[in-house]
Amino acid sequence: GYHRFLFFLLRRRSSYLSSGINAEFGKQWYQRRVRGIRVGRSIDGFGLSPGITKEQRLGVEKLFSSASKKFEGELAGTYYPLTGMEEKVRQQLVDDHFLFVSGDPNLKVAGMERDWPEGRGIFHNDKKTFLVWVNEEDQLRIISMEKGGDVLGVFKRLASGIKAVGDSVMAECGKGFMLDEKYGYVHSCPTNLGTGMRASVHIDLPGWTKEGVDKLKARCEELALQPRGTRGESGGQTGHTYDISNKHRLGYSEIQLVQTMIDGVNKLYDEDVALQKKHGL
C-alpha cells in the first residue's frame, strides 16, 4: 500500500527521486526561503505522548541519544538534551530557530508536556540541515531543511535520515517504527496518520493578504494545501509571510505530497503577482 512507499523509496532512492519529482519552484521568490520536510515516527513498545510514562519517555531519549552516535556522513551530529542545557547552547538553538518550547495549549491539554523538560531534546547534524526532535508532540520528529530551492536535495536527505534513524534504533534495541497495515505510520495526532509527512515553504503573499486571508485559505483548500503563520500551528499569523504545506498525510505517497506542495506554491505565487497588480501594491 501507499504507506509502504517510503520503504521502496529507500531501496531505490537516487534514481527514483530524480525522475519522481518535478522540483522546480518559480525562480523569482524561492532563493532566500527556508523549506523543510518532516515526518513523525513512534518506536514500538513505547507509549505515545499523551499517555507515555515518565520512564518510557526517558527510555526513548536514552535509546535515541545512543542510536544517534551511529549516524555517519552528512547526518552525523550532536544530541542536546533540554534538561541541564547550558545557556550558550540554548541561545544558539533559539537563534537557529531549532528549539521547541513548552506552553503550546494543544499539547498541554493533551497531557504531552508532563514532566517538562525531562526526556526532551534536539539532535542536529553539523551543517544544521538534519534535525530530530525527541519527545515533543511525537516520540521522534525527523526533519530535513535548508535555505534555497533544492527541495529534491531536502527530500533525499530526509529519506536517508529516516533510514539512518530506523536502522540505528533497530540495532540498538531490536524495535522498529509503529506501522499499521491500513493506516500507515502511527503518530500522537490522528491527523498525521499515514505518511506523517509535512513539506513546507515560507513565502510572501502580499497580494493574497490584501485580497483576504479567508480567500487565501479557501484557495489553499482547493490546492490541497494548508496555510499557517510562520510562528507555527498555534502561533497565529503576522504580516504577509505564510508557511504553506501539503494538507494531506493519509492516502498519498510521499512523492505525491511533495509534488502537491511544489505545484500549489507555484500557483499561489503566480496568482499573488496578479493580485498585487489588482490592488496596486
Side-chain angles (χ1 to χ4, degrees):
Y2 77 90
H3 58 278
R4 292 202 178 276
F5 185 82
L6 192 55
F7 296 150
F8 168 76
L9 171 71
L10 292 170
R11 287 198 299 270
R12 297 182 54 195
R13 188 162 58 243
S14 298
S15 61
Y16 194 87
L17 276 173
S18 297
S19 60
I21 297 178
N22 174 15
E24 287 299 314
F25 279 112
K27 302 297 182 186
Q28 299 91 331
W29 65 266
Y30 77 70
Q31 286 91 339
R32 304 176 72 87
R33 290 308 180 194
V34 178
R35 64 192 38 77
I37 309 176
R38 61 82 165 159
V39 299
R41 289 293 183 266
S42 306
I43 304 169
D44 267 334
F46 296 89
L48 301 178
S49 293
I52 194 171
T53 66
K54 180 178 179 180
E55 291 72 23
Q56 286 178 330
R57 191 185 301 109
L58 291 171
V60 169
E61 181 188 37
K62 182 179 179 181
L63 175 59
F64 176 80
S65 178
S66 179
S68 66
K69 294 174 183 176
K70 298 182 175 68
F71 298 167
E72 299 177 344
E74 74 163 336
L75 301 180
T78 306
Y79 176 69
Y80 301 92
L82 265 60
T83 302
M85 181 177 287
E86 295 180 5
E87 176 57 26
K88 181 180 178 181
V89 173
R90 190 198 70 82
Q91 189 58 53
Q92 185 60 57
L93 291 169
V94 168
D95 293 344
D96 291 331
H97 304 287
F98 290 170
L99 189 67
F100 60 86
V101 296
S102 62
D104 186 303
N106 295 320
L107 300 189
K108 289 180 72 172
V109 75
M112 296 186 192
E113 293 196 356
R114 290 170 293 119
D115 307 309
W116 186 276
E118 283 189 290
R120 281 84 172 184
I122 298 168
F123 170 92
H124 69 72
N125 66 344
D126 297 334
K127 291 184 178 181
K128 300 182 178 181
T129 56
F130 175 67
L131 289 75
V132 182
W133 288 358
V134 177
N135 288 320
E136 192 237 10
E137 178 178 320
D138 286 305
Q139 291 176 15
L140 302 174
R141 183 64 63 84
I142 304 169
I143 307 164
S144 176
M145 62 186 293
E146 68 181 64
K147 295 181 179 180
D150 186 15
V151 68
L152 187 58
V154 173
F155 193 39
K156 287 182 178 180
R157 188 185 311 110
L158 178 74
S160 297
I162 295 170
K163 186 176 189 304
V165 173
D167 289 351
S168 298
V169 168
M170 179 63 74
E172 196 72 21
C173 69
K175 296 181 182 296
F177 296 137
M178 292 186 195
L179 178 65
D180 182 86
E181 284 293 330
K182 182 176 181 180
Y183 297 113
Y185 290 101
V186 179
H187 298 72
S188 296
C189 180
T191 61
N192 283 320
L193 280 173
T195 61
M197 195 188 78
R198 180 174 181 268
S200 67
V201 60
H202 288 182
I203 180 173
D204 293 336
L205 297 172
W208 271 112
T209 302
K210 188 71 173 180
E211 184 77 1
V213 175
D214 288 342
K215 290 183 179 180
L216 172 59
K217 290 179 179 179
R219 180 59 176 142
C220 285
E221 184 74 23
E222 294 172 353
L223 296 171
L225 299 176
Q226 182 180 36
R228 297 180 180 180
T230 53
R231 293 178 177 177
E233 188 171 10
S234 304
Q237 172 60 31
T238 58
H240 56 242
T241 304
Y242 298 83
D243 180 303
I244 306 292
S245 63
N246 54 291
K247 178 183 177 182
H248 299 117
R249 313 280 187 265
L250 185 67
Y252 300 87
S253 74
E254 286 82 358
I255 280 182
Q256 286 175 314
L257 294 177
V258 172
Q259 194 66 59
T260 293
M261 186 274 287
I262 293 170
D263 294 344
V265 166
N266 279 332
K267 288 179 181 177
L268 285 177
Y269 174 80
D270 290 340
E271 292 165 358
D272 192 77
V273 171
L275 288 170
Q276 288 182 51
K277 293 178 180 178
K278 171 185 173 181
H279 293 290
L281 299 178

